[in-house]
């Protein structure tokens, strides 16, 4: 496998300051190839942003389902005291499945340092107290705060903090090497991915996760190309090291196929169909994966026995180009489409 078009596109992106660092890995069948910028190796840290939802939070929930600890139909009131607030009775009946598929009606709001200082229950109360954006199950709005609740649920089920759950149930069973929550501000062999001119107290590129001490179910953890590939390979093999094998088909099913939904969503996964453009010509309908706001993504196709990982810090560079006064995220979405199409050209996929 020769990634000539892909390598050329990535070199051009580096030269034009579209991003400052990158890694692209393509595996089709038994053949693997990758290209990286000069500063990046297989074990270089990237902030993978919301990819953490699919790499950590959803896997922990699916593991718990497979172990019989919870059901996808379990409701919010099993895990949290629902405060007096708008839509209280409706909120009681929001399901685990709706949280996983971003159809709960819970949307992102800024979390307060005061609530964070009081602990997870106070943060959950702040999230749940906010009015629902729509009746659960009727629409789709991508929701980091729904996944923060899922992270809290995983902690309640297993009786340990999220970072320890990751170590015990994902990192150790898969034999991952470096990936973790939180790294030092001056961590060696780590790409700068935060959007701001200077980092916050924590290196994560997310305001709410900053407030939560760098550990949250919504993502913003630090992974390497090597470790993400190990994870994706385990998914393609339907490994029981992650979750019960019977749950793979359920997780990869599209639960939001109707016209009222913007895109296909599985249990933790984005599911590719005609509504979705960022995978270009490379991935057929039914493929699945996830993006990270920093400029990263991972997608897999069982039909083509294909997995592709893209790691960049493109969102930081989009903001740098405007002297840190804002950016057009649509440019990062277009970048993903272009990279996937370059890979399709290299693989001879029309």
């Amino acid at each position: 496998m020769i990634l000539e078009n892909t390598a050329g596109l990535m070199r051009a992106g580096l030269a034009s300051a579209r991003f400052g660092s990158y890694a692209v890995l393509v595996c089709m069948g038994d053949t693997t190839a990758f290209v990286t910028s000069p500063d990046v190796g297989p074990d270089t840290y990237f902030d993978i942003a919301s990819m953490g939802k699919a790499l950590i939070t959803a896997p922990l929930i699916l593991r718990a389902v497979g172990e019989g600890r919870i059901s996808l139909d379990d409701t919010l009131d099993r895990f949290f005291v629902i405060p007096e607030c708008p839509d209280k009775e409706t909120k009681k009946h929001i399901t685990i499945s709706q949280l996983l598929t971003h159809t709960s009606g819970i949307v992102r709001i800024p979390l307060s340092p005061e609530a964070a200082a009081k602990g997870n229950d106070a943060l959950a109360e702040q999230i749940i107290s906010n009015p629902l954006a729509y009746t659960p199950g009727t629409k789709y709005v991508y929701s980091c705060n729904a996944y923060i609740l899922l992270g809290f649920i995983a902690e309640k089920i297993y009786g340990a903090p999220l970072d320890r759950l990751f170590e015990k149930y994902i990192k150790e069973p898969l034999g991952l090497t470096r990936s973790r929550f939180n790294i030092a501000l001056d961590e060696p062999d780590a790409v700068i991915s935060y959007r701001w001119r200077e980092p916050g107290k924590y290196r994560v590129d997310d305001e709410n996760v900053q407030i939560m001490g760098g550990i949250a179910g919504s993502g913003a953890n630090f992974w390497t190309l090597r470790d993400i590939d190990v994870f994706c390979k385990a998914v393609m093999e339907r490994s029981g090291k992650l979750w019960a094998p019977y749950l793979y088909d359920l997780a990869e099913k599209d639960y939001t196929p109707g016209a009222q939904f913007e895109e296909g969503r599985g249990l933790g996964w984005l599911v590719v169909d005609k509504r979705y453009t960022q995978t270009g010509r490379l991935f057929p309908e039914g493929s699945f994966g996830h993006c990270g706001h920093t400029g990263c993504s991972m997608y897999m196709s069982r039909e083509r026995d294909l997995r592709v990982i893209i790691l960049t810090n493109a969102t930081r560079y989009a903001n740098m180009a405007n002297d840190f006064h804002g950016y057009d995220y649509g440019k990062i979405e277009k970048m993903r489409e272009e990279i996937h199409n370059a890979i399709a050209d290299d693989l001879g996929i029309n």
Side-chain angles (χ1 to χ4, degrees), residues 306-328:
L306 172 68
R307 61 184 188 268
V308 172
I309 301 164
I310 298 170
L311 303 177
T312 78
N313 55 351
T315 304
R316 172 175 175 81
Y317 273 70
N319 207 13
M320 285 174 60
N322 198 26
D323 196 29
F324 297 97
H325 290 123
Y327 55 95
D328 178 5

Side-chain angles (χ1 to χ4, degrees), residues 74-322:
D74 279 347
T75 53
L76 213 57
D77 59 353
R78 175 185 166 183
F79 307 100
F80 305 103
V81 175
I82 309 301
E84 292 298 329
C85 60
D87 308 311
K88 176 180 178 178
E89 292 304 312
T90 300
K91 288 170 179 171
K92 287 182 180 180
H93 303 293
I94 290 172
T95 66
I96 294 286
S97 179
Q98 289 169 339
L99 294 173
L100 285 167
T101 57
H102 302 276
T103 58
S104 68
I106 292 171
V107 294
R108 180 176 177 126
I109 58 169
L111 301 180
S112 70
E114 294 76 16
K118 295 177 182 178
N120 290 354
D121 286 342
L123 285 169
E125 180 176 347
Q126 183 185 4
I127 292 169
I128 295 168
S129 295
N130 190 60
L132 295 175
Y134 52 85
T135 301
T138 64
K139 293 183 181 180
Y140 159 88
V141 174
Y142 187 83
S143 177
C144 288
N145 284 8
Y147 270 74
I148 288 174
L149 293 180
L150 286 169
F152 293 160
I153 290 170
E155 292 181 336
K156 288 174 181 286
I157 293 166
Y158 287 106
L162 203 60
D163 55 342
R164 285 174 52 194
L165 297 180
F166 166 62
E167 295 281 338
K168 181 176 181 178
Y169 292 114
I170 300 173
K171 187 172 181 176
E172 291 177 10
L174 293 183
L176 307 183
T177 55
R178 292 191 84 205
S179 300
R180 56 176 294 178
F181 286 87
N182 277 336
I183 60 173
L185 296 182
D186 60 350
E187 187 80 37
D189 198 14
V191 169
I192 296 177
S193 297
Y194 47 82
R195 288 164 285 151
W196 311 290
R197 195 182 302 275
E198 301 294 337
K201 182 178 180 180
Y202 303 94
R203 192 158 164 166
V204 294
D205 180 51
D206 185 286
E207 297 86 345
N208 280 346
V209 184
Q210 284 274 351
I211 287 171
M212 293 177 65
I215 300 174
S218 54
N221 9 87
F222 297 87
W223 282 67
T224 69
L225 182 69
R226 189 194 307 273
D227 283 351
I228 297 173
D229 187 45
V230 170
F231 181 97
C232 291
K233 187 173 185 289
V235 170
M236 294 294 283
E237 293 174 348
R238 301 177 186 269
S239 173
K241 292 180 180 179
L242 283 173
W243 54 80
Y246 81 90
L247 285 168
Y248 281 90
D249 286 342
L250 283 176
E252 296 158 25
K253 174 185 173 183
D254 183 1
Y255 292 84
T256 56
Q260 74 270 33
F261 302 111
E262 292 181 11
E263 57 190 18
R265 282 287 165 177
L267 303 177
W269 298 119
L270 182 143
V271 180
V272 175
D273 62 14
K274 292 179 181 178
R275 293 171 291 180
Y276 192 68
T277 61
Q278 293 185 55
T279 48
R281 294 179 282 104
L282 182 59
F283 283 95
E285 290 189 35
S287 303
F288 57 95
H290 212 285
C291 290
H293 192 85
T294 47
C296 304
S297 65
M298 59 178 179
Y299 285 96
M300 289 161 271
S301 168
R302 297 198 183 278
E303 177 184 330
R304 291 182 173 163
D305 194 10
L306 172 68
R307 61 184 188 268
V308 172
I309 301 164
I310 298 170
L311 303 177
T312 78
N313 55 351
T315 304
R316 172 175 175 81
Y317 273 70
N319 207 13
M320 285 174 60
N322 198 26

Side-chain angles (χ1 to χ4, degrees), residues 25-83:
L25 181 144
V26 181
C27 181
M28 193 170 191
D30 296 328
T31 305
T32 301
F34 65 93
V35 296
T36 70
S37 54
D39 61 323
V40 170
D43 296 313
T44 300
Y45 280 128
F46 281 81
D47 181 341
I48 47 80
S50 283
M51 282 168 61
K53 294 179 174 70
L55 287 166
I56 297 177
T57 310
L60 290 172
I61 295 297
L62 290 171
R63 172 180 285 273
V65 171
E67 293 172 345
R69 295 172 183 260
I70 59 171
S71 162
L72 291 170
D73 295 324
D74 279 347
T75 53
L76 213 57
D77 59 353
R78 175 185 166 183
F79 307 100
F80 305 103
V81 175
I82 309 301

